[in-house]
Amino acid sequence: FGRMKPVIVVHGGAGRIFKEREEGSRAGVVRAALRGYGILKRGGSALDAVEEAVRSMEDDPHFNAGCGSVLNEKGEVEMDAIIMDGKNLDSGAVSAVKCIANPIKLARLVMEKTKHMLLTDHGAHLFAQAMGIPETPGEKLITERSRERWKKNLEPDSNPEEFQKDLGTVGAVAIDSEGNVACATSTGGLSNKLIGRVGDTACIGSGGYADNCSGATSTTGHGESIMKVVLARLILYHMEQGMSPEMAADTALDYMKTRVGGLGGVIVVNSSGEWAARFSTKQMSWATVKDEQLHYGIYAGERHTKPVDEALASESGGF
């Protein structure tokens, strides 16, 4: 069916993943990749696959997106998300949204049901109501861990930057059997951020970009640095100049580090189905499925591989 072999790549955020959360992060990205791949294998679209993969991680409290998002200075959850279709460059995004379990779903609706690309805060809230998206009480999205961190960061001698390293933005990129690419990214942002702070995630070209002509990418890391270099679009630019996904990712991350001192991570798939998962931080949880093989890792140079069938068999719950 089709002419392309479908590929999906997901990330669960770049930064420092604390030991006690490694297993959960690994399992979470693997589950997301398998879910997205299931859609692609049945002939589904890249767009549906990346939305499903990200939704799966939004629902997983191990990640800083949806349930498990970090809190702003006032102790509330404010989330950003983006989705983009490489076929026609359509995109939808939301920023500073509260009380919604799956911001990525709302971003998709912005793309498909409005003439706009980005809705924010109160307006996004009204649109969600109009679309019949159920409201989730803010407390439901707040984990014990996020609240603890928020309190710690409020202490006079605290250094929020220290905790910032454990970021956990989530994202996915895919190419389907038709050769269409898509990207999706979702985040709770920075811990103890100012109210109304929007980072790179909701910004087209920074938090993600997808174009059938070259490929798709989703980013994670220090949002303000990512925005300064428009990281996602920069990677695609390098691929348009003939670089492989890995080379393009490394070159762009390197530039961000030397030019503005920013660290981060990216996942990439190009228009011929080659992929990469690269990061300049200590760690980034990632997983990919291609040719019925699942690959995943967290540390630099770490890469486990197993057949999809075997992975699915050991995946408990809902498959």
Side-chain angles (χ1 to χ4, degrees), residues 32-45:
L34 291 170
R35 286 203 175 155
Y37 188 68
I39 288 173
L40 295 171
K41 217 188 142 169
R42 295 192 293 273
S45 70

Side-chain angles (χ1 to χ4, degrees), residues 255-308:
Y255 175 72
M256 182 166 85
K257 193 173 173 179
T258 52
R259 187 72 181 84
V260 297
L263 301 179
V266 299
I267 49 173
V268 192
V269 65
N270 71 8
S271 48
S272 49
E274 297 175 297
W275 63 275
R278 310 292 293 170
F279 47 99
S280 52
T281 50
K282 268 177 104 156
Q283 290 143 291
M284 179 179 81
S285 53
W286 63 272
T288 182
V289 182
K290 182 180 181 175
D291 291 331
E292 295 299 311
Q293 294 291 313
L294 163 77
H295 310 275
Y296 59 96
I298 285 188
Y299 291 94
E302 173 192 4
R303 178 156 159 190
H304 307 281
T305 302
K306 57 165 97 162
V308 165

